[in-house]
Amino acid sequence: MKVILLEDVKTLGKKGDIVDVSDGYARNFVLPKKLGVEANAKNKNDLKLQKANADKVAQEQLEAAQELAKTLETKEVTLTIKSGEGGRTFGSISSKEIAQAAKEQCGLELDKKKIQLPEAIKALGAYEVGIKLHPKVTGKLRVKVIEG
């Protein structure tokens, strides 16, 4: 019996796959637990429509991420840090502080987990920080650290 999987099943396949299973396995395990439905014409058509819709949504998210990346290129965030003699700083700038400053200064909602800092910023100056907006899109935000 051919079955369309509604969820990932470890031994069978991923969600949306059409797999061939024995009739008993389908009747006693896959169908009652709502892990899949029988692969008839209606269900195949529904699957095709769902995949088309998911592709459309994914494309829209990619375009929105690319648009946000272009917006980030023009923005600059300024942060202050205390420093002592010889330009030595006390503390550092973290991704949380960058996200908060971007919200206050530019009105951009950035997730601190998506800000890619190899290590915390511990010196004065200008930096370009990568922000992972989408698996295929990474934006750059200029961060200027001044003495405060």
Side-chain angles (χ1 to χ4, degrees):
M1 174 185 282
K2 291 208 179 276
V3 175
I4 299 172
L5 296 178
L6 299 176
E7 294 181 23
D8 292 352
V9 180
K10 196 172 191 177
T11 56
L12 291 179
K14 301 270 183 205
K15 177 180 178 180
D17 288 350
I18 298 175
V19 294
D20 202 9
V21 296
S22 68
D23 292 350
Y25 186 66
R27 260 193 321 271
N28 296 321
F29 182 74
V30 177
L31 299 177
K33 292 194 177 203
K34 306 255 190 272
L35 299 175
V37 292
E38 188 176 345
N40 57 24
K42 179 191 177 299
N43 291 337
K44 284 182 182 178
N45 191 34
D46 289 347
L47 176 67
K48 189 168 34 170
L49 292 174
Q50 286 175 350
K51 283 188 177 182
N53 188 33
D55 290 343
K56 182 181 174 189
V57 168
Q59 183 63 31
E60 289 173 356
Q61 289 175 342
L62 177 64
E63 289 171 1
Q66 289 171 339
E67 195 66 33
L68 183 57
K70 287 179 186 174
T71 304
L72 283 175
E73 300 270 333
T74 63
K75 303 286 184 183
E76 181 176 88
V77 175
T78 305
L79 294 160
T80 59
I81 190 170
K82 291 184 181 180
S83 62
E85 292 181 26
R88 298 208 42 175
T89 59
F90 300 114
S92 62
I93 303 290
S94 66
S95 59
K96 180 180 178 183
E97 294 168 318
I98 293 171
Q100 188 175 7
K103 184 177 181 182
E104 292 170 359
Q105 296 174 18
C106 305
L108 297 171
E109 286 284 336
L110 299 176
D111 186 5
K112 68 178 183 179
K113 295 175 189 145
K114 304 215 178 205
I115 297 175
Q116 298 175 323
L117 278 177
E119 55 192 45
I121 299 172
K122 296 181 180 182
L124 303 176
Y127 299 90
E128 282 216 350
V129 177
I131 300 171
K132 190 92 167 157
L133 302 170
H134 188 271
K136 297 178 183 175
V137 180
T138 301
K140 296 279 185 198
L141 177 67
R142 283 191 301 277
V143 176
K144 189 175 181 184
V145 181
I146 58 174
E147 185 175 348

